[in-house]
Amino acid sequence: MKKREKEQEKIKQHGEHRKIPKPRKNLEMKICGLHACKMLFNKRPQDLIRVYITENMLKEMNKVLKYCAEKKLAYRILTEDEMLKVSESNHHEGVCFLIRRTPSISYEDFLKNEEHIKNTNCIVALENVQNPHNLGAVMRVCANFGINAILVSHADAALSGAAYRTSEGGAEFIKIITADNFNKALEKFKSFDYKIILTSSHKGTNLFNEKIPKKLVFVFGSENSGITEALLNNGDKIIQIPSSGNVESLNIACASSVILAEYWRNHKK
């Protein structure tokens, strides 16, 4: 009887019924998706805690598994059904990491750091943008055009696994700055010589007719309601993307692509 109990206990600890540890709140998080996980491993392998992969990803993740073996980090090979439960995503692409969470930084602390200001000319501010997929898509655009910081009012959504996956690795290049009060935060950025450029789908000057300053904060609002009226009255300028008018507006990822491409054309070429 004792032998059988020991065998059952062994299966429970090491076999298919072993429990998956939950991330510690605000300290750890799970990310999935091939590009997001690969970029995490390339940028900060020291923050890798545990690896889950499906069998068909063994070759693709060979370098990661060797690292896990060297560092004595746990990894598990899962079935598709198990991966679905572990990753909590239909878009896991056969890989899921448990990682140490990179903390966000308040705008006050960001502006106290001279290195942050010196190395960050352009910031993308997202007022009331709560959808993690939209946040991830914007982070992907920002990383593509060399923007390394975004100001958000919903940090949890920006630091979620869904945002990381959607960013396709771009999140690893972005510092998340938080602000409970956007008006107050933008006033503070103004005092550090940042220009505040607001974006709108229905009013403002033509983006392509503007001389875009190098040191600025581009402000985008939520897709449902746009930038709040109070904030619209607190910027240096409002710009809009010219269009045929065949559709009402672009989604936030498309709009940020056009605007940041123009910023890149003006200052990075």
Side-chain angles (χ1 to χ4, degrees):
M1 186 69 179
K2 287 184 178 180
K3 185 178 179 181
R4 186 178 178 184
E5 287 177 354
K6 285 182 179 179
E7 287 177 350
Q8 289 177 338
E9 183 63 24
K10 188 175 180 180
I11 290 172
K12 183 178 179 181
Q13 290 181 356
H14 303 286
E16 61 180 327
H17 301 299
R18 183 168 48 180
K19 290 183 178 179
I20 302 297
K22 292 184 178 179
R24 292 178 294 169
K25 190 175 182 181
N26 298 325
L27 296 174
E28 300 170 352
M29 63 184 290
K30 284 190 289 189
I31 64 170
C32 63
L34 181 60
H35 293 297
C37 289
K38 274 191 167 184
M39 188 58 71
L40 179 285
F41 180 69
N42 289 337
K43 292 281 287 183
R44 49 188 178 108
Q46 71 278 5
D47 286 337
L48 188 60
I49 299 171
R50 190 174 288 108
V51 171
Y52 304 98
I53 63 169
T54 53
E55 191 170 355
N56 65 310
M57 294 299 290
L58 284 171
K59 186 176 180 180
E60 187 74 45
M61 290 286 111
N62 182 53
K63 188 176 179 181
V64 175
L65 297 183
K66 282 184 177 179
Y67 178 85
C68 288
E70 290 171 3
K71 301 296 182 181
K72 295 181 171 57
L73 299 177
Y75 68 86
R76 286 186 61 185
I77 301 169
L78 306 179
T79 65
E80 288 290 336
D81 288 341
E82 287 172 331
M83 180 61 82
L84 190 63
K85 292 177 182 177
V86 170
S87 66
E88 301 175 84
S89 171
N90 290 313
H91 309 285
H92 53 71
E93 297 180 319
V95 57
C96 177
F97 287 176
L98 177 66
I99 64 170
R100 291 181 183 85
R101 187 175 180 178
T102 300
S104 58
I105 183 173
S106 69
Y107 72 89
E108 295 99 335
D109 287 341
F110 178 87
L111 291 170
K112 285 177 184 176
N113 189 313
E114 290 183 7
E115 282 299 311
H116 288 163
I117 299 170
K118 179 182 177 182
N119 297 322
T120 311
N121 286 318
C122 180
I123 295 169
V124 169
L126 304 171
E127 185 195 26
N128 295 327
V129 179
Q130 303 180 50
N131 185 306
H133 298 99
N134 288 342
L135 287 160
V138 172
M139 283 193 279
R140 183 179 183 180
V141 172
C142 287
N144 183 73
F145 290 112
I147 309 303
N148 61 13
I150 64 172
L151 177 70
V152 298
S153 49
H154 294 82
D156 285 344
L159 292 169
S160 67
Y164 266 67
R165 181 187 60 76
T166 309
S167 79
E168 295 285 344
E172 286 302 315
F173 297 88
I174 308 298
K175 186 177 295 297
I176 304 296
I177 309 170
T178 59
D180 293 327
N181 185 317
F182 251 55
N183 270 307
K184 190 175 179 181
L186 293 180
E187 284 293 340
K188 192 68 175 177
F189 275 99
K190 278 185 180 181
S191 71
F192 282 81
D193 299 323
Y194 283 88
K195 296 295 182 182
I196 309 301
I197 308 297
L198 307 165
T199 64
S200 173
S201 61
H202 58 280
K203 65 179 179 179
T205 57
N206 186 323
L207 166 68
F208 303 122
N209 293 336
E210 286 294 323
K211 184 177 180 181
I212 300 174
K214 186 172 185 179
K215 190 173 182 179
L216 83 167
V217 179
F218 274 125
V219 186
F220 297 82
S222 69
E223 291 187 3
N224 292 330
S225 54
I227 296 172
T228 58
E229 199 63 37
L231 209 58
L232 280 173
N233 297 322
N234 199 23
D236 294 298
K237 190 165 289 186
I238 302 173
I239 61 169
Q240 64 174 321
I241 300 169
S243 74
S244 64
N246 290 337
V247 294
E248 183 182 354
S249 63
L250 297 173
N251 65 35
I252 192 169
C254 290
S256 65
S257 294
V258 175
I259 290 171
L260 294 182
E262 183 65 5
Y263 179 83
W264 175 276
R265 189 182 71 81
N266 277 264
H267 299 292
K268 300 288 186 179
K269 60 184 179 180

